[in-house]
Amino acid sequence: MEVLIGITGKDFVLLTADTTSARSIVIMKQEEDKTRELNKHNLLLTIGEAGDAVQFAEYIQRNIKLYEIRNGVPLSTKAVAAYTRREMADSLRSRNAYQVNILIGGVDPKTGTPELYWSDYLAASQKMPFATQGYASYFVMSTMDRYWRPDLSLAEARALLQKCFDELKKRFIGNLPSFLIKVVDKEGIRTID
Amino acid sequence: MSYDRALTVFSPDGHLFQVEYALEAVKRGTCAVGVRGKDVVVLGVEKKTVLKLQDPRTVRKVSMLDDHVCLAFAGLYADARVLINKARIECQSHRLTVEDPVTVEYITQYIAGVQQRYTQSGGVRPFGISTLIIGFDVDRVPKLYQTEPSGIFSAWKAAAIGKSSKTVREFLEKNYKEEMSKEEAIKLTIKSLLEVVQTGAKNIEVAYMDEDAVLKQLDSDEVERISKEIEKEKEAEAEKNKKAGGSTSGVAPMQE
């Protein structure tokens, strides 16, 4: 029932995750943050198996940080996505695979060029202009196919995201009352309404 | 030829010679000084003269272990690399399991623990380095720790390791004041290093950490400027002493 949506704009990536944390028929909390900052310009969103999602995200977060401390430079989004995919692939071929689906969004700190990577628990990975994880895909991908254009401004991207939310509210049986929306751009990562 | 017998064993009179020899290796390394002020901690290191064809940026004597902890060493550079790498992994591992950054004492204890393990394991020799570890914990109190090849560690107000560290330590003991400001602490660090670094300010690297726990480097111009200030003060002292001349205490004027 969890949802991740990512949209690349002109010089930013808009990323959102629903904030519902539920088990079986009970909603435990409504302020769950399914994102983890990997470095100043890269954000990781994870959903999937209870526990795995957080564990995997924090493991990647720590290793990206370790790379930065060791080498004095942050990793690019492409490198982060490649590293994360590799960890997922290794885990898949081991006793306990992480059952986690992710989105990685980031910008190049110098040029502001945005990049969005979609990766799943089978370690498939693809760079995409817009992407979703979870049941949302069935509803929201077609909305974005219709309305996404390259070089969207932040306001336009936010409006597109609202169309997605409205679509989900109308057609998706799962109730997702709130979303956490983050923007990654040259300045860094921030939360918006 | 067995590779798992202990190399570090006791001598009949209770010495661990390998550890003591490791300390000798440390004494041959370039000098490093740490000074703790009121709300700042400063690290000064002697930079080995960069050979003509060498790229100076690849020789780093002050290394970050995590955002808020930093390490300088004296001794075998390669040994330091290994230890620093282990410490860096431990810093992140600690954050992963405990969701908190390491305290300076914790990571010092870890490093000292590794150094001790290598004095009591088969087939390995002790690390030939002493380290100075600085940082700030969430309590925003500056910290300075020192470790040795034997695995001993302790906290210090000011410490020196490496070549001529004894001279520097004596200088620090004479001139250390409690609750020094940032400028005073940096000045004391440079002053103490100038005592032993023959080639002067251009071979001294200074880094410091404020309460915000971010490591800042002094650029070489700044180090030059402070060294010149120190020189001027020294000369003024010497002049004063000369003028006072024939003082009954018979104190010799400061020699250049």
Side-chain angles (χ1 to χ4, degrees):
Chain A
M1 292 303 191
E2 297 174 291
V3 159
L4 298 178
I5 307 175
I7 302 175
T8 55
K10 185 150 167 262
D11 50 8
F12 64 89
V13 187
L14 191 62
L15 293 155
T16 186
D18 73 290
T19 57
T20 313
S21 177
R23 295 284 177 271
S24 164
I25 57 171
V26 176
I27 298 174
M28 292 187 299
K29 70 191 257 194
Q30 211 49 267
E31 309 92 39
E32 176 86 3
D33 186 353
K34 298 177 187 172
T35 74
R36 291 288 185 276
E37 288 189 15
L38 298 181
N39 57 37
K40 187 155 183 248
H41 298 100
N42 288 289
L43 190 65
L44 170 68
L45 292 83
T46 57
I47 56 171
E49 181 80 32
D52 278 2
V54 174
Q55 182 78 331
F56 184 73
E58 293 187 345
Y59 174 72
I60 297 293
Q61 198 183 26
R62 287 298 126 228
N63 275 286
I64 300 294
K65 182 75 186 187
L66 183 60
Y67 178 94
E68 235 180 76
I69 300 263
R70 268 186 179 146
N71 299 287
V73 283
L75 278 171
S76 67
T77 312
K78 183 171 174 198
V80 164
Y83 172 77
T84 308
R85 192 211 76 81
R86 182 45 110 102
E87 288 288 341
M88 192 74 85
D90 288 344
S91 106
L92 187 64
R93 291 154 181 78
S94 74
R95 307 218 106 224
N96 312 83
Y98 283 112
Q99 285 212 286
V100 182
N101 297 311
I102 71 176
L103 288 182
I104 297 176
V107 295
D108 178 324
K110 288 207 199 79
T111 64
T113 316
E115 290 190 343
L116 175 65
Y117 288 85
W118 177 101
S119 184
D120 72 0
Y121 71 104
L122 293 171
S125 176
Q126 197 64 239
K127 178 159 172 290
M128 302 172 71
F130 52 87
T132 55
Q133 292 279 13
Y135 284 119
S137 329
Y138 297 116
F139 306 98
V140 156
M141 282 309 271
S142 37
T143 308
M144 294 204 278
D145 276 330
R146 171 77 178 79
Y147 292 108
W148 186 88
R149 292 180 334 265
D151 295 334
L152 288 167
S153 73
L154 184 55
E156 290 171 327
R158 180 64 187 86
L160 174 53
L161 194 60
Q162 193 56 47
K163 281 199 176 65
C164 298
F165 291 157
D166 294 339
E167 188 66 30
L168 285 174
K169 210 177 290 191
K170 190 167 179 195
R171 294 296 180 196
F172 181 44
I173 196 174
N175 177 37
L176 298 166
S178 76
F179 284 79
L180 182 61
I181 307 171
K182 293 200 174 172
V183 176
V184 184
D185 60 15
K186 252 199 305 194
E187 314 298 315
I189 302 172
R190 62 182 194 282
T191 311
I192 64 167
D193 283 320
Chain B
M1 240 287 126
S2 76
Y3 290 100
D4 55 1
R5 68 171 182 84
L7 299 175
T8 312
V9 288
F10 280 111
S11 72
D13 55 352
H15 290 267
L16 281 173
F17 280 124
Q18 279 302 300
V19 174
E20 291 179 16
Y21 298 159
L23 274 157
E24 289 300 313
V26 171
K27 285 204 199 114
R28 286 155 48 107
T30 50
C31 193
V33 168
V35 172
R36 207 175 72 193
K38 177 154 180 274
D39 42 29
V40 70
V41 61
V42 188
L43 266 181
V45 296
E46 177 191 352
K47 270 194 306 208
K48 237 170 61 173
T49 329
V50 172
L51 306 162
K52 240 197 193 149
L53 295 171
Q54 203 174 42
D55 185 343
R57 291 170 304 170
T58 55
V59 182
R60 306 246 52 229
K61 270 207 74 176
V62 178
S63 314
M64 299 238 318
L65 297 182
D66 200 349
D67 291 329
H68 62 299
V69 189
C70 189
L71 175 148
F73 65 91
L76 300 165
Y77 191 14
D79 284 7
R81 232 179 25 231
V82 171
L83 210 50
I84 288 169
N85 198 32
K86 281 192 209 272
R88 282 172 171 165
I89 294 175
E90 180 61 22
C91 282
Q92 296 309 312
S93 182
H94 187 275
R95 278 195 195 241
L96 185 58
T97 44
V98 168
E99 285 208 352
D100 267 337
V102 294
T103 58
V104 185
E105 179 170 10
Y106 176 91
I107 198 63
T108 307
Q109 204 160 340
Y110 173 82
I111 291 173
V114 175
Q115 286 184 290
Q116 193 281 340
R117 212 174 314 135
Y118 278 66
T119 69
Q120 213 179 5
S121 299
V124 296
R125 61 161 175 82
F127 284 95
I129 61 164
S130 288
T131 70
L132 288 176
I133 299 163
I134 65 163
F136 276 83
D137 296 328
V138 280
D139 59 7
R140 313 187 82 192
V141 175
K143 306 270 180 346
L144 168 65
Y145 284 84
Q146 181 186 321
T147 74
E148 300 182 351
S150 55
I152 296 176
F153 76 94
S154 51
W156 292 74
K157 294 180 188 168
I161 52 176
K163 218 181 296 177
S164 322
S165 56
K166 192 151 172 290
T167 317
V168 180
R169 204 172 305 127
E170 282 166 3
F171 181 86
L172 287 171
E173 277 173 18
K174 258 197 239 117
N175 293 282
Y176 182 84
K177 284 193 332 257
E178 299 282 341
E179 313 268 303
M180 281 188 284
S181 71
K182 181 167 78 182
E183 289 71 27
E184 291 174 313
I186 292 178
K187 205 171 195 177
L188 180 63
T189 308
I190 297 178
K191 216 168 167 186
S192 59
L193 269 175
L194 283 173
E195 294 280 309
V196 295
V197 177
Q198 281 88 350
T199 36
K202 56 177 163 54
N203 272 31
I204 293 179
E205 198 179 289
V206 180
Y208 67 93
M209 218 183 253
D210 274 327
E211 281 182 318
D212 62 2
V214 175
L215 186 70
K216 299 175 195 65
Q217 294 257 348
L218 276 183
D219 34 62
S220 43
D221 300 327
E222 189 61 20
V223 179
E224 278 285 345
R225 185 187 68 80
I226 300 179
S227 318
K228 288 214 173 71
E229 222 178 86
I230 294 170
E231 284 298 308
K232 264 207 224 98
E233 283 173 10
K234 268 199 195 153
E235 282 166 18
E237 270 293 312
E239 279 298 313
K240 219 173 55 180
N241 284 342
K242 240 192 264 163
K243 283 211 180 105
S247 59
T248 48
S249 67
V251 173
M254 291 260 269
Q255 293 298 323
E256 285 305 338

